Amino acid sequence: MTPQWKILMEPISYSLIKSLDDKFGTPFYIMDSDRYRHNVNGFINAFKRKYERIIAGYSFKTNYVPALCKIAKDEGCFAEVVSDMEYALAQNLGFKKIIFNGPIKRSTVLIRAIEDGSIINLDSEYEVDAVCKYKEQHPSCNLKVGMRININLTDENGNSTIQCGLRFGRFGFPADLIEKNVERLRKAGVSIISLHGHTSTSDRAVLNYKIITKHMLTVCEKYQLNDLEFFDIGGGYFGAAPEGMDLTGRPTYEDYADCVLGETLTNQWFMSHKPYIVIEPGSSVVSNVFTYYTKVYQNKRVGKVNFVMVDGSVFDVKPTMHSNNLPHKALTATETAENYVCDVVGSTCMEKDVMLKEVNMPKMKAGEYIQFRGVGAYTICLTPTFINYLEPILMEKNGEFVEARRRQTIEDIIQIYKY
């Protein structure tokens, strides 16, 4: 049975993509709004099965396409932002509930966030300085902030699950600075209402969240954070996966929820205070929401290598240029039984613009298309304006495809320059 959340549109086929190409040109992305809603609500409900006080802060940095962020707002998510730009975008899109994280908070936006009543998770001592100074200047202000703590995920053998295998992460207050800064804030009359434990990991394993949750509970108990309203375990989860990805052994939303709730709901301090549990999903809800379509222009054989040349670019589907081949599919005008091993290469004048390496595909003709799946996270927001215009993003609305982002123009590029 077809899931109810599956977007109601014509099945993706050569003829559909050809019609969209005729109207919008290639390359382009397609955004599946219904799938995104399904993912967001699935994650929230995995926690709410056992504990009602759950808040999801959608991670803007993962993908800040405004149409996507508005869906998050409609579904009751907070905006989770980490910069001046993202904070301004969240406000522009009508978010009233904002979680302000990140290592650099300029004084102007920090003060704005204080006055807006946003949840501010301080990351470093210079931010404590700024908050205490603001309180001194505004003694009648009921000032409330949060703190991000640094959590070590390195075992006794020196093996680390922190992103990139780093032995020590740089974000948040390390253990030797927590007490000092808790006391500084209290002495200044500033309430600590949020504890943030986000720690980026390389494996997204459930065990990491057990360690994070237990560490956060220890901090709450040790420093008697009895004003705490938000117990924020951060993001970095596995979840939404594109069709074609091997999910064997991968955690589910329920696995993460059971882990975190298993620790919190059996903890005396937590059950005495019952703060909101805050999750900050990004990749886990958006990875499989976007697909990318590029058109074949030419087949070329050089030496022993078959090159399929397309009008897209590696920067559009994996701007970090990692070596993994994304799930993909050939969309051909007619069926062909002839397959061969090839490299799919992009339209920039760089040899390393390789979108797929040594893949077995049908032998394609000029004017046919290749679909790339799993391009929703850390792709669109990282794509540079390099050689090509930024592509349109299409979404289904009232039974037809419309632009969630139009194709960039030369006027868009030059308007911020002076010449």
Side-chain angles (χ1 to χ4, degrees):
M1 179 181 295
T2 302
Q4 292 182 356
W5 52 265
K6 187 170 178 61
I7 193 166
L8 298 176
M9 63 182 184
E10 181 183 341
I12 298 298
S13 63
Y14 169 84
S15 60
L16 173 62
I17 300 306
K18 177 67 167 63
S19 68
L20 295 176
D21 178 12
D22 291 342
K23 184 174 182 179
F24 299 104
T26 56
F28 57 79
Y29 299 89
I30 291 180
M31 183 180 93
D32 188 336
S33 302
D34 285 357
R35 186 184 294 270
Y36 179 65
R37 289 190 184 90
H38 168 77
N39 293 343
V40 168
N41 287 305
F43 207 163
I44 294 171
N45 291 333
F47 279 82
K48 282 195 171 184
R49 289 179 300 124
K50 296 182 180 178
Y51 188 69
E52 186 63 27
R53 293 169 65 82
I54 302 297
I55 291 171
Y58 173 62
S59 168
F60 269 43
K61 65 181 175 292
T62 310
N63 186 321
Y64 51 69
V65 171
L68 189 79
C69 295
K70 281 192 171 184
I71 294 170
K73 181 169 71 70
D74 292 344
E75 296 303 318
C77 294
F78 289 28
E80 189 270 320
V81 304
V82 296
S83 69
D84 298 16
M85 182 272 284
E86 290 186 354
Y87 194 94
L89 177 58
Q91 288 194 313
N92 184 271
L93 295 176
F95 279 89
K96 303 300 181 185
K97 298 176 179 178
I98 301 175
I99 302 167
F100 190 18
N101 295 323
I104 299 296
K105 302 181 183 71
R106 292 180 176 83
S107 58
T108 51
V109 71
L110 179 59
I111 290 170
R112 188 192 322 158
I114 290 171
E115 295 176 347
D116 290 341
S118 297
I119 303 169
I120 306 165
N121 288 312
L122 307 180
D123 192 89
S124 299
E125 287 190 288
Y126 84 91
E127 296 171 341
V128 176
D129 296 339
V131 166
C132 291
K133 181 179 179 180
Y134 183 90
K135 177 63 176 176
E136 183 181 350
Q137 295 171 341
H138 303 81
S140 62
C141 172
N142 184 19
L143 187 47
K144 302 176 181 181
V145 299
M147 292 180 66
R148 180 174 182 176
I149 57 173
N150 185 283
I151 298 176
N152 187 3
L153 294 177
T154 303
D155 65 22
E156 63 275 9
N157 298 317
N159 300 313
S160 172
T161 60
I162 298 174
Q163 194 174 61
C164 302
L166 297 173
R167 186 172 176 82
F168 299 103
R170 64 186 174 96
F171 300 111
F173 291 87
D176 59 342
L177 291 180
I178 294 175
E179 182 173 5
K180 169 188 172 183
N181 287 284
V182 166
E183 291 307 315
R184 287 182 65 199
L185 291 167
R186 284 175 170 164
K187 185 176 180 180
V190 178
S191 299
I192 301 171
I193 61 160
S194 175
L195 192 67
H196 188 219
H198 177 81
T199 307
S200 298
T201 65
S202 55
D203 60 5
R204 303 179 188 267
V206 172
L207 177 61
N208 297 324
Y209 294 88
K210 183 181 182 75
I211 297 169
I212 290 167
T213 303
K214 292 181 73 169
H215 191 102
M216 291 175 64
L217 289 169
T218 299
V219 170
C220 290
E221 293 167 344
K222 181 175 181 179
Y223 300 107
Q224 288 299 293
L225 302 183
N226 298 329
D227 294 327
L228 205 76
E229 299 175 31
F230 306 103
F231 188 88
D232 190 339
I233 56 176
Y237 315 93
F238 187 77
E243 179 186 353
M245 177 177 283
D246 182 7
L247 303 182
T248 305
R250 301 280 190 168
T252 65
Y253 297 151
E254 288 75 18
D255 291 333
Y256 293 116
D258 289 344
C259 170
V260 173
L261 296 175
E263 297 299 326
T264 53
L265 301 189
T266 56
N267 179 270
Q268 184 176 354
W269 180 92
F270 186 92
M271 294 308 294
S272 296
H273 298 86
K274 293 187 176 178
Y276 284 95
I277 292 176
V278 181
I279 54 177
E280 296 175 351
S283 299
S284 55
V285 294
V286 78
S287 289
N288 66 350
V289 171
F290 287 74
T291 48
Y292 178 81
Y293 298 87
T294 183
K295 183 160 60 180
V296 174
Y297 269 67
Q298 181 178 320
N299 292 291
K300 180 188 287 187
R301 184 172 179 84
V302 180
K304 296 182 179 181
V305 180
N306 297 308
F307 293 104
V308 178
M309 305 174 71
V310 300
D311 59 1
S313 165
V314 68
F315 298 110
D316 299 326
V317 294
K318 47 180 186 179
T320 58
M321 304 184 77
H322 60 75
S323 59
N324 299 325
N325 286 327
L326 293 171
H328 55 277
K329 180 181 180 182
L331 299 171
T332 57
T334 57
E335 290 189 15
T336 175
E338 186 179 1
N339 279 36
Y340 70 159
V341 175
C342 61
D343 290 357
V344 176
V345 294
S347 59
T348 69
C349 52
M350 299 179 66
E351 291 287 6
K352 60 183 178 180
D353 188 356
V354 179
M355 303 173 74
L356 295 170
K357 181 73 172 177
E358 295 178 355
V359 292
N360 192 300
M361 293 182 65
K363 191 164 186 178
M364 303 183 70
K365 300 174 184 176
E368 297 181 323
Y369 305 95
I370 301 176
Q371 176 199 70
F372 288 80
R373 299 185 291 275
V375 298
Y378 296 104
T379 298
I380 292 169
C381 57
L382 280 175
T383 301
T385 306
F386 176 66
I387 296 181
N388 296 315
Y389 295 120
L390 297 178
E391 292 85 359
I393 299 170
L394 309 181
M395 59 185 288
E396 187 269 345
K397 187 174 183 180
N398 299 325
E400 64 177 354
F401 283 97
V402 298
E403 291 174 314
R405 181 180 76 183
R406 61 170 170 77
R407 191 178 301 279
Q408 190 181 41
T409 67
I410 193 62
E411 288 75 20
D412 296 325
I413 293 172
I414 66 174
Q415 66 182 350
I416 63 171
Y417 295 95
K418 296 183 178 180
Y419 58 96

